[in-house]
Each structure stands twice: as C-alpha cells, then as structure tokens.
Amino acid sequence: MKSAAPSSLGDRARRRTALMRRVQEGDADAYRALLDDIKPALLNLLRRWAANRDELQDLVQEVLLALHRSRHTYDPLQPFEPWLFSIARYVATRSQHRRMRRMSWEVLVDVPPDQPSESDFGTGSRFEEVLGQLPPAQREAFVLLKLEGLSVEEAASQAGTTTAALKVRAHRAYAAIKALLHR
C-alpha cells in the first residue's frame, strides 16, 4: 500500500477542516466536496466492522447521516478527522451491538420449517367460522376496525357507540379470536 507523504496528509486534513467550516456556514458545494472526499476513508475505516459489502455501504450511509445531524457540534478550531472518525466508530460499534443482540435471539436451523399450505388453513372458511362465533357487537367492532380499516372514531360513529365502548368490544373480539383459533 502506498503511503501518502506527511505534507499531503496535513494538506488533506486542512482541506477537510476548511470544507467542514464552509459546510457549517451553509455552503452546499463544500458539503458535496467534503462527502466525496471522506467517503473512501470511511469505507476503509468501517470495513473491519461490516459483515459484508451491503452492511459496509449501510454503515457509511449511517455515518454520513450522523455527520449531518451532528455537524453543528463540530468545533472548526479542532481537526476534523478525529471528530469524524469518532462518529464513525460510535456508529459502527452501535451497529455491531445491534447485530449481536439480534444474533442472540435468532435460532439457526439446518432445515427451514415447512411453510403452511392453503390446506392447513382452508380458504378463509376457518376464519369466517371463528368470526361467526363472536357476539354481534364484537364481530362488528372487529370488522369495522380490522377488515374495513376505519379509525376508532369512524367505527364508533358507524356502530352507534362511544370510542371507549368500541375499543372494549374490539379488545374482547381480539382475545376471543385468538382463543378460538388456538383451539
């Protein structure tokens, strides 16, 4: 790998600092130039934290978004790169923690479970049968809210009741449907 001369590193750092100063002043062209300039450095830095190429691109975008949100906190009297790279490390670490948390509850299996077929559930007749077993007020609340997609206020008005009463009916309908489907 070819290393840059110390003077060019200093020039790059000064250029990035100057661009960020202009970004804080609202210069859109400087913002575009800064983002184009720092993206390769972010790719190199974040590569060790990413599990794959897609995740690497996602991390870079998250860092750029965090940079955008935090740009007002940058002190133009300080070097830009340590500030940027600390944001990048924070974003990468947070992403890694999310991935580890997700992996802790994921269960890997050798063979994926069978997908339910239509014969397992019929063509909706079982659900219609369950709906038919509900008391009329609960069925009406469920149909208005879940099947017709009305708001609680609209459904209550159409059912001729208060929103509180409709919510109670709907809650009871959900519980009854769940119990009937699990039998």
Side-chain angles (χ1 to χ4, degrees), residues 42 45-46 49 63 66 79-93:
L42 288 175
L45 176 70
L46 296 171
W49 279 291
V63 170
F80 171 72
E81 290 162 329
W83 179 80
L84 171 67
F85 293 151
S86 68
I87 290 172
R89 280 189 298 277
Y90 174 77
V91 168
T93 303

Side-chain angles (χ1 to χ4, degrees), residues 24-52:
Q24 287 181 315
E25 295 167 358
D27 186 341
D29 293 330
Y31 207 175
R32 198 169 302 109
L34 178 66
L35 295 180
D36 289 341
D37 189 39
I38 65 173
K39 192 169 183 181
L42 288 175
L43 284 166
N44 285 333
L45 176 70
L46 296 171
R47 189 166 281 125
R48 71 181 81 142
W49 279 291
N52 56 45

